[in-house]
């Protein structure tokens, strides 16, 4: 069982819908990540949160809006997506030595949300 | 620019034999390397990592070897089991400030009984 839990597992949404992806971890990790993975491709980083603050935005379009309500939760709000945004969205977490210092610790991934935009 | 390369998209091995998955990198600033395993419809699962101060790290059936001069790492699985059939990603990052994890394109391993 993964220690990073993502809901929902599957999501189908229209281009005018607003939906949210949710991620939860209870490992005490203070760094959390959103990745996007297309078929037969490696995961691509979207956002990084460190101590509940957005540290990295990999030039992601504004139709994706991340939120970190507390140290255990990470959300990704979706609005006006395009069919090409259909992908597996992965949440991950890792240890963080201190604010902004990322340790040599592995990322632990959830099982992802399979998103289809119609 | 693909900084982490897995040149073999697939590998087939018989059960009980050794599986060797290879990975090459180009960025000399990388100093932490990881292997992940991914089953369909699941997220990547962390397998094993190695820091650049080492050349070998072993965990059960899994051993990772790092050759810094060649900028090459490999994952050995001995003995291979059918349950090892999955896509394996190698990943790397540097250690200055935030360095994002750079993934290879993956190698699909099939272990047949």
């Amino acid at each position: 069982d993964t220690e990073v839990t993502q809901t929902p597992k599957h999501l189908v949404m229209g281009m005018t819908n607003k939906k949210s992806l949710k991620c939860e971890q209870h490992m005490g990790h203070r760094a959390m990540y959103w990745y996007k993975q297309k078929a037969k491709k490696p995961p691509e980083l979207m956002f990084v949160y460190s101590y509940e603050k957005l540290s990295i935005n990999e030039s992601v379009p504004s139709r994706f809006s991340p939120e970190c309500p507390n140290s255990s939760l990470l959300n990704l709000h979706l609005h006006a997506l395009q069919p090409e945004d259909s992908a597996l969205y992965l949440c991950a977490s890792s240890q963080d030595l201190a604010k902004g210092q990322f340790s040599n610790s592995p990322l632990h991934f959830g099982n992802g949300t399979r998103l289809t935009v119609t | 620019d693909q900084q982490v390369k897995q040149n073999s998209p697939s590998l087939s091995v018989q059960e009980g034999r050794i599986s060797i998955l290879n990975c090459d990198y180009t960025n000399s600033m990388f100093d932490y390397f990881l292997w992940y395993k991914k089953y369909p419809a699941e997220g990547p699962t962390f397998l094993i990592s190695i820091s650049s101060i080492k050349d070998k790290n072993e965990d059960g059936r899994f051993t990772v070897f790092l050759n810094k001069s060649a900028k090459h790492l490999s994952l050995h699985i001995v003995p291979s089991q059918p349950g090892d059939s999955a896509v394996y990603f190698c990943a790397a990052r540097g250690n200055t400030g935030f360095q994002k994890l750079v993934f290879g394109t993956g190698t699909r391993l099939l272990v047949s009984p």
Side-chain angles (χ1 to χ4, degrees):
Chain A
D1 286 341
T2 180
E3 295 177 83
V4 177
T5 304
Q6 291 187 243
T7 56
K9 290 185 178 180
H10 302 275
L11 179 62
V12 179
M13 60 185 291
M15 289 189 284
T16 58
N17 291 159
K18 285 185 180 181
K19 296 286 185 183
S20 297
L21 310 185
K22 297 186 182 300
C23 174
E24 188 170 1
Q25 59 89 14
H26 293 289
M27 294 181 282
H29 291 169
R30 302 308 294 271
M32 296 186 76
Y33 309 74
W34 280 114
Y35 278 81
K36 172 182 176 180
Q37 186 175 23
K38 302 280 265 184
K40 300 189 189 300
K41 298 285 188 182
E44 295 176 18
L45 182 64
M46 299 175 72
F47 302 103
V48 181
Y49 272 80
S50 173
Y51 285 77
E52 296 89 69
K53 293 282 190 280
L54 182 62
S55 292
I56 302 288
N57 176 341
E58 288 282 292
S59 302
V60 179
S62 59
R63 58 186 184 268
F64 296 91
S65 176
E67 177 197 19
C68 191
N70 60 53
S71 60
S72 300
L73 295 175
L74 186 67
N75 298 323
L76 186 63
H77 303 297
L78 314 172
H79 175 54
L81 294 194
Q82 304 296 312
E84 58 265 28
D85 296 322
S86 299
L88 180 68
Y89 287 83
L90 294 162
C91 173
S93 69
S94 70
Q95 289 181 334
D96 193 351
L97 285 174
K99 289 186 180 181
Q101 301 297 315
F102 289 80
S103 66
N104 269 353
S105 65
L107 270 63
H108 295 267
F109 285 87
N111 282 333
T113 293
R114 174 71 61 188
L115 175 68
T116 303
V117 182
T118 60
Chain B
D1 177 31
Q2 190 68 29
Q3 297 185 70
V4 178
K5 300 177 185 178
Q6 294 176 255
N7 292 317
S8 299
S10 63
L11 175 67
S12 293
V13 171
Q14 280 197 312
E15 182 178 9
R17 301 289 186 105
I18 184 171
S19 295
I20 300 177
L21 297 104
N22 294 303
C23 180
D24 297 293
Y25 62 96
T26 57
N27 190 336
S28 59
M29 299 303 292
F30 287 153
D31 73 342
Y32 181 57
F33 305 88
L34 308 89
W35 283 94
Y36 284 86
K37 175 173 73 174
K38 187 178 185 305
Y39 294 120
E42 292 185 10
T45 301
F46 169 69
L47 272 178
I48 192 168
S49 64
I50 188 166
S51 164
S52 61
I53 61 173
K54 293 186 173 184
D55 55 17
K56 176 183 174 181
N57 189 25
E58 191 172 352
D59 183 1
R61 296 186 298 116
F62 302 92
T63 302
V64 56
F65 295 93
L66 176 62
N67 182 333
K68 284 185 65 179
S69 60
K71 294 191 176 66
H72 177 83
L73 65 155
S74 60
L75 175 68
H76 293 210
I77 306 174
V78 181
S80 301
Q81 300 173 354
D84 296 328
S85 299
V87 177
Y88 288 79
F89 290 98
C90 69
R93 73 172 176 221
N95 68 349
T96 306
F98 174 75
Q99 296 284 334
K100 71 178 182 181
L101 208 53
V102 180
F103 284 87
T105 50
T107 296
R108 181 175 300 278
L109 174 66
L110 177 62
V111 181
S112 53

